[in-house]
């Protein structure tokens, strides 16, 4: 239950349940393409998270807010079929709670297959995470006496490889496409959107100060670009002066957003 997270019950996360969830989602993700396209009908909403950086407590607060707004229930299930959640990547980062954060995100995915997407970010890309905070956390939390030394590390490697790179939303009524990807220039992928791009969401933050809401909106070549950082981690507070929990809601009605 969502309320349990605020009490941090010890039975919510364990290496065994974490491993089982990662193995299950690796199989589910392998069925999806690296570039996901969604044909958007009328009255659909997309909740978009920027980099979380392993900020478990921030994510819990965000989910409580989504529950108040009636997007999800206290079992982490989306209430409506026309609602989606997209994590732009860097779900893990410099926080000491990466595994708890990742387990919460993957729990959301397995309870809402086809409606919650986790995209690769810089941390997940090409094992960048392995020698950083998350790799060290695996060594501390993820190994039991009966485990092979690198079993969880290999599970994570296989899982991150299956993460999609982009989500493209196609709006038939307005003949526009919307690109959602951690990277401003998506890695190792060729995009062929159905329509011209009119809006993009990214989280590979520029080196400049964000407003407190963690969202920057700019324009380039008749295209709007939204940069999102979703948690007030120490790094984000220091580099970008972010002090709030953040997510964006993309509301599409009658072919317009």
């Amino acid at each position: 239950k969502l309320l349990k997270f605020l009490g941090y019950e010890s039975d919510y996360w364990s290496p065994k349940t974490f491993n089982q969830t990662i193995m299950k989602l690796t199989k589910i993700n392998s069925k999806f393409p690296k570039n996901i396209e969604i044909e958007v009908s009328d009255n659909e909403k997309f909740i978009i998270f920027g980099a979380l950086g392993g900020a478990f407590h921030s994510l819990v607060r965000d989910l409580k807010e989504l529950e108040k707004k009636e997007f999800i229930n206290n079992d982490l299930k989306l209430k409506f079929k026309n609602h989606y959640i997209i994590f732009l990547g860097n779900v893990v980062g410099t926080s000491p709670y990466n595994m708890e954060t990742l387990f919460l995100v993957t729990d959301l995915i397995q309870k809402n297959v086809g409606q919650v997407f986790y995209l690769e970010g810089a941390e997940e890309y090409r094992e960048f995470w392995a020698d950083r905070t998350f790799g060290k956390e695996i060594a501390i939390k993820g190994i039991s006496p009966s485990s092979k030394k690198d079993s969880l590390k290999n599970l994570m490697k296989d899982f991150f490889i299956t993460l999609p790179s982009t989500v493209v939303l196609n709006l038939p009524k307005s003949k526009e496409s919307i690109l959602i990807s951690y990277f401003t220039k998506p890695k190792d992928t060729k995009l062929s959107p159905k329509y011209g791009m009119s809006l993009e969401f990214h989280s590979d933050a520029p080196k400049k100060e964000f407003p407190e809401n963690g969202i920057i909106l700019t324009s380039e070549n008749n295209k709007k670009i939204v940069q999102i950082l979703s948690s007030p981690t120490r790094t984000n507070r220091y580099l970008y002066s972010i002090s709030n929990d953040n997510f964006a809601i993309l509301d599409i009605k009658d072919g317009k957003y």
Side-chain angles (χ1 to χ4, degrees), residues 182-195:
Y182 174 88
F183 299 101
T184 304
K185 295 181 179 179
K187 307 286 187 182
D188 301 338
T189 185
K190 293 182 179 180
L191 294 175
S192 53
K194 194 171 184 179
Y195 309 112

Side-chain angles (χ1 to χ4, degrees), residues 51-52 229-242:
L52 288 168
L229 291 175
S230 281
S231 62
T233 60
R234 178 190 292 182
T235 300
N236 287 344
R237 290 198 305 269
Y238 177 76
L239 291 178
Y240 309 113
S241 301
I242 292 174

Side-chain angles (χ1 to χ4, degrees), residues 32-37 119-120 125-126 161 163-168 179-193 197 202:
F32 287 94
K34 291 293 284 185
N35 301 312
I36 295 171
E37 292 201 28
L119 309 184
E120 67 178 356
Y125 182 69
R126 291 188 176 178
I161 287 173
L163 294 181
S165 299
T166 65
V167 170
V168 175
L179 172 64
I180 302 172
S181 171
Y182 174 88
F183 299 101
T184 304
K185 295 181 179 179
K187 307 286 187 182
D188 301 338
T189 185
K190 293 182 179 180
L191 294 175
S192 53
M197 293 290 187
H202 304 292

Side-chain angles (χ1 to χ4, degrees), residues 123-134:
E123 287 282 345
E124 296 89 356
Y125 182 69
R126 291 188 176 178
E127 296 185 64
F128 187 65
W129 53 272
D131 296 319
R132 290 165 59 83
T133 304
F134 182 47

Side-chain angles (χ1 to χ4, degrees), residues 11-135:
D11 63 349
Y12 176 65
W13 179 91
S14 72
K16 182 178 179 180
T17 54
F18 184 82
N19 289 11
Q20 290 172 341
T21 300
I22 292 300
M23 286 188 287
K24 180 179 179 181
L25 283 184
T26 299
K27 292 180 180 179
I28 292 174
N29 281 351
S30 65
K31 297 177 182 179
F32 287 94
K34 291 293 284 185
N35 301 312
I36 295 171
E37 292 201 28
I38 299 175
E39 200 81 0
V40 179
S41 57
D42 291 335
N43 302 318
E44 294 192 322
K45 292 184 179 182
F46 296 82
I47 312 301
I48 302 173
F49 284 90
L52 288 168
F56 176 73
H57 305 79
S58 175
L59 179 56
V60 169
R61 292 190 292 267
D62 287 332
L63 294 176
K64 285 300 298 177
E65 185 64 23
L66 289 177
E67 186 188 21
K68 289 178 184 177
K69 293 179 181 294
E70 298 192 344
F71 282 98
I72 62 174
N73 62 25
N74 65 0
D75 286 318
L76 296 179
K77 292 182 180 178
L78 284 159
K79 286 189 160 186
F80 304 99
K81 292 296 184 183
N82 61 345
H83 288 176
Y84 299 82
I85 296 176
I86 300 174
F87 293 92
L88 286 179
N90 278 27
V91 166
V92 299
T94 57
S95 164
Y97 298 100
N98 285 300
M99 295 183 79
E100 290 84 351
T101 305
L102 188 55
F103 184 73
L104 183 47
V105 169
T106 54
D107 203 20
L108 271 165
I109 296 171
Q110 68 176 344
K111 290 177 178 177
N112 302 277
V113 175
Q115 286 182 269
V116 178
F117 298 99
Y118 172 11
L119 309 184
E120 67 178 356
E123 287 282 345
E124 296 89 356
Y125 182 69
R126 291 188 176 178
E127 296 185 64
F128 187 65
W129 53 272
D131 296 319
R132 290 165 59 83
T133 304
F134 182 47

Side-chain angles (χ1 to χ4, degrees), residues 170-232:
N170 294 317
L171 284 60
K173 278 193 175 181
S174 59
K175 299 290 189 282
E176 298 173 89
S177 290
I178 297 171
L179 172 64
I180 302 172
S181 171
Y182 174 88
F183 299 101
T184 304
K185 295 181 179 179
K187 307 286 187 182
D188 301 338
T189 185
K190 293 182 179 180
L191 294 175
S192 53
K194 194 171 184 179
Y195 309 112
M197 293 290 187
S198 63
L199 176 65
E200 295 185 5
F201 286 87
H202 304 292
S203 196
D204 53 345
K207 294 290 190 280
K208 62 179 178 180
E209 187 170 309
F210 274 64
E212 284 190 356
N213 67 4
I215 298 174
I216 291 178
L217 175 62
T218 57
S219 296
E220 181 181 297
N221 300 323
N222 297 317
K223 176 175 58 181
K224 295 182 179 68
I225 300 174
V226 181
Q227 284 273 1
I228 309 173
L229 291 175
S230 281
S231 62

